[in-house]
Amino acid sequence: MLKFRRKILQASAGFLIAGPMLGQRRALAQTPACEHSFTPHQIEGPYYSPQTPRRSNLVDGLRGELLVLEGRVLSTSCRPIPNAIVDLWSCDSQGEYDNTGFKLRGHQITDAQGRFRFQTLMPGSYGNSSFRRTPHLHVKVQAPASPLLTTQLYFPDQPLNQRDGFFNPALLVKIKEQKQVLTLALFDFVVPVLAKG
């Protein structure tokens, strides 16, 4: 009986010592792993215009469903990248690009937390009966000490997604909120940061 009691006391003492460590272990396990792969590259397309204005509102009085795109530019270790240029352009709700001005075109520079925010319109689809593009946004991201990322972003539940040869599910935005006249979408870009030296 004495041996049995001693074993129970030893085991209890072990739990008293290890208990706080087990609690810490659980807390650490809840911390996000933050294992990101790079955001995939995609083609620029024929409608890119350089030297866009620095602005967050790209609507310019056009009609259509408002789209707010928010996100961050991150390194693969999940660190925010400040001072990255995020250049966005798209067609309007009818599938037309402004190739003479800067409607639905502009860029932002990320803040200290790597954040950017654009207000634009939900783009339409375009093309013909043999080739039709699903609604998408074009983006270039130039972070300090990183190669230029050119890519496109897509929207969930679009009927043309699976028929568009460029569509990549890794580039789907997350819809945070959708109302009748406004969609709030989120996307974080992950880019490699080159070593200095």
Side-chain angles (χ1 to χ4, degrees):
M1 185 75 166
L2 190 56
K3 279 186 179 181
F4 181 73
R5 184 183 284 182
R6 188 176 295 145
K7 284 185 180 180
I8 289 176
L9 288 173
Q10 286 172 342
S12 298
F15 277 119
L16 286 173
I17 294 168
M21 290 168 48
L22 291 172
Q24 286 176 351
R25 208 175 255 268
R26 266 189 237 115
L28 290 175
Q30 293 172 355
T31 304
C34 229
E35 294 173 9
H36 289 295
S37 56
F38 304 139
T39 300
H41 287 263
Q42 290 216 314
I43 65 165
E44 178 181 280
Y47 303 116
Y48 174 66
S49 295
Q51 300 176 342
T52 60
R54 181 178 176 182
R55 60 188 184 155
S56 61
N57 187 336
L58 313 182
V59 176
D60 291 317
L62 295 173
R63 292 183 172 201
E65 180 185 339
L66 288 177
L67 170 68
V68 174
L69 175 68
E70 294 180 347
R72 298 171 296 167
V73 177
L74 303 170
S75 69
T76 51
S77 58
C78 244
R79 290 202 163 92
I81 300 179
N83 301 314
I85 299 169
V86 182
D87 194 356
L88 181 84
W89 73 101
S90 70
C91 65
D92 63 18
S93 58
Q94 304 302 309
E96 298 288 328
Y97 285 88
D98 176 11
N99 295 313
T100 58
F102 293 108
K103 289 180 180 169
L104 302 177
R105 299 175 185 270
H107 72 271
Q108 285 284 292
I109 298 176
T110 57
D111 67 12
Q113 286 77 43
R115 295 177 301 201
F116 64 88
R117 183 181 192 275
F118 289 100
Q119 182 175 325
T120 185
L121 294 181
M122 181 65 81
S125 63
Y126 61 87
N128 54 41
S129 59
S130 60
F131 177 74
R132 193 145 192 89
R133 291 299 320 271
T134 193
H136 59 280
L137 301 170
H138 293 270
V139 187
K140 286 182 181 281
V141 178
Q142 180 65 71
S146 292
L148 176 66
L149 169 66
T150 301
T151 194
Q152 299 179 37
L153 298 179
Y154 300 95
F155 301 92
D157 305 321
Q158 290 291 325
L160 289 172
N161 281 351
Q162 300 309 318
R163 292 175 40 202
D164 188 322
F166 295 109
F167 172 73
N168 182 339
L171 296 169
L172 281 168
V173 299
K174 291 180 183 159
I175 303 298
K176 184 175 179 184
E177 187 176 351
Q178 196 157 21
K179 297 180 179 175
Q180 192 170 358
V181 294
L182 173 71
T183 297
L184 175 58
L186 307 175
F187 194 86
D188 290 340
F189 296 97
V190 180
V191 297
V193 176
L194 305 176
K196 294 179 182 176

